[in-house]
Amino acid sequence: MTKSIGRIGIIGTGVIGASWTALYLAKGLQVVATDIAPSAEASLRKFVETAWPALKRLGLSAGASQSNLKFSADLAQALAGVDLVQENGPERIDFKQKLYGQLDQLLPPDVIIASSSSGLTMSEIQKGAASHPERCVIAHPFDPPHLIPLVEIVGGAKTSEATIQRAAEFYTSIGQRTVRLNQEMPGHVANRLQAALAREVYLVAEGVVSAADVDTALSWGPGLRWGIMGNMVLNHLGGGPGGIEHFFQQFTGPMTAWWKTLGSPVLTPDVQKKLIASVHAEAGSRSIQELAVERDEVLLGLIELRNKFAGSSQKKSPEPVA
């Protein structure tokens, strides 16, 4: 559990697996990817090539090269000699458990198996790894992981503390921002926060506002602040000179009253139909690809600004008092 991680095995090269691949290559790592889809290799290499200008703009690490990518449809061949496996298979517990049984047999016990699963718990997944469940951990990214640096790390009932620490150190070493969950929760943390917000699709379903108005309210209101600081610290600022203590004094009553009126929508076919129509009206003629390009371009600018600010803040840090 102490050897350095320099060679990554990628299982599954869909949207998340391909994005992980691009990130690892940009960080100067060796990557071997595997996927049984007939056109998987061509699609993966095209994704990496398309993502490369953005990664170059953010700054490539020493040794970064697209030529460090190898591909094999054979699982055993792909995983020979890897130091960490980033698993991006389908979100089906039966599939995961069977796969982890195979990985458990193929890999030396000091190779971490990290799952990108967005909702399944590692306690269930690692039941498939009978010999070495202690090296299995959730390392859940946010789409697209080659741009968004968040990684949620959570172990299962049989995951060792050494695995969790080593995984956290690895992701931090390549510039990712890690959040450790001290206990398992379905959907982890970031997706649960999104899900809490998503409950208010009730506002669209009830005709209070359109999907476009919901997105305007979010992206040009609290979303702008959330791109800078998290909600907890923003509440601290919202309390003025009195900070978080004054915030609770002022807003506990109104906020808890709002909670009581939050919607609890059931996504019936009719509700889905309303939401779909409203989202398409908002998107207009813009394709999925065009929307993704727009998202990524603004996201790059925000990341560059935050990195610049973080760098200047570190330079301004006062010297410790002797």
Side-chain angles (χ1 to χ4, degrees):
M1 279 296 169
T2 59
K3 75 173 184 178
S4 62
I5 296 173
R7 187 178 180 86
I8 309 295
I10 297 284
I11 298 178
T13 59
V15 173
I16 299 300
S19 187
W20 270 127
T21 299
L23 174 69
Y24 289 138
L25 291 170
K27 298 302 179 180
L29 299 167
Q30 301 287 324
V31 179
V32 184
T34 185
D35 195 307
I36 60 172
S39 59
E41 181 176 4
S43 297
L44 175 60
R45 293 189 182 280
K46 182 178 180 181
F47 181 96
V48 171
E49 183 179 1
T50 301
W52 207 251
L55 290 162
K56 190 173 182 179
R57 179 172 157 183
L58 290 175
L60 300 175
S61 298
S65 174
Q66 295 180 58
S67 65
N68 289 336
L69 172 62
K70 292 182 171 50
F71 186 95
S72 175
D74 182 86
L75 184 65
Q77 184 178 357
L79 299 184
V82 302
D83 304 311
L84 179 144
V85 170
Q86 190 77 50
E87 175 268 310
N88 312 282
E91 289 284 278
R92 299 199 320 267
I93 193 62
D94 58 336
F95 176 91
K96 299 274 194 193
Q97 289 177 345
K98 182 179 179 181
L99 174 61
Y100 276 59
Q102 293 175 276
L103 298 179
D104 206 29
Q105 296 299 312
L106 288 171
L107 297 165
D110 60 350
V111 175
I112 290 176
I113 306 172
S115 177
S116 299
S117 176
S118 59
L120 299 175
T121 64
M122 182 46 67
S123 288
E124 288 300 311
I125 295 172
Q126 67 188 174
K127 288 179 180 178
S131 298
H132 294 286
E134 74 281 352
R135 41 81 170 274
C136 303
V137 66
I138 295 287
H140 172 242
F142 242 52
D143 184 31
H146 72 281
L147 297 182
I148 298 182
L150 179 66
V151 182
E152 296 178 306
I153 297 177
V154 53
K158 296 183 178 180
T159 305
S160 71
E161 180 63 23
T163 294
I164 293 172
Q165 289 293 335
R166 188 172 173 226
E169 289 169 5
F170 166 69
Y171 290 108
T172 300
S173 75
I174 61 170
Q176 303 304 91
R177 297 298 183 105
T178 60
V179 172
R180 176 177 176 176
L181 279 67
N182 295 314
Q183 62 184 51
E184 292 178 299
M185 297 290 289
H188 317 313
V189 169
N191 276 336
R192 289 178 68 90
L193 294 172
Q194 285 194 139
L197 185 61
R199 287 181 60 179
E200 285 297 272
V201 297
Y202 164 86
L203 296 171
V204 179
E206 292 298 309
V208 178
V209 285
S210 66
D213 286 336
V214 166
D215 284 345
T216 297
L218 283 174
S219 62
W220 289 99
L224 284 177
R225 300 188 301 197
W226 291 334
I228 305 164
M229 296 177 179
N231 207 53
M232 305 301 289
V233 172
L234 287 169
N235 287 344
H236 188 40
L237 285 174
I244 190 66
E245 294 85 357
H246 188 251
F247 176 87
F248 282 127
Q249 290 170 9
Q250 290 287 98
F251 295 110
T252 294
M255 190 163 55
T256 52
W258 298 336
W259 286 350
K260 294 175 183 177
T261 65
L262 292 178
S264 297
V266 177
L267 289 176
T268 64
D270 284 342
V271 168
Q272 291 181 46
K273 187 176 179 180
K274 287 182 182 179
L275 297 175
I276 289 169
S278 198
V279 169
H280 278 298
E282 178 184 3
S285 62
R286 293 174 295 175
S287 68
I288 295 291
Q289 184 177 3
E290 288 169 334
L291 288 167
V293 168
E294 179 182 333
R295 175 201 66 189
D296 292 352
E297 182 60 29
V298 177
L299 183 57
L300 276 168
L302 177 59
I303 292 170
E304 288 172 330
L305 182 60
R306 291 200 63 171
N307 288 341
K308 181 180 178 181
F309 184 83
S312 62
S313 296
Q314 290 173 357
K315 290 177 184 178
K316 294 177 183 177
S317 297
E319 293 294 325
V321 178

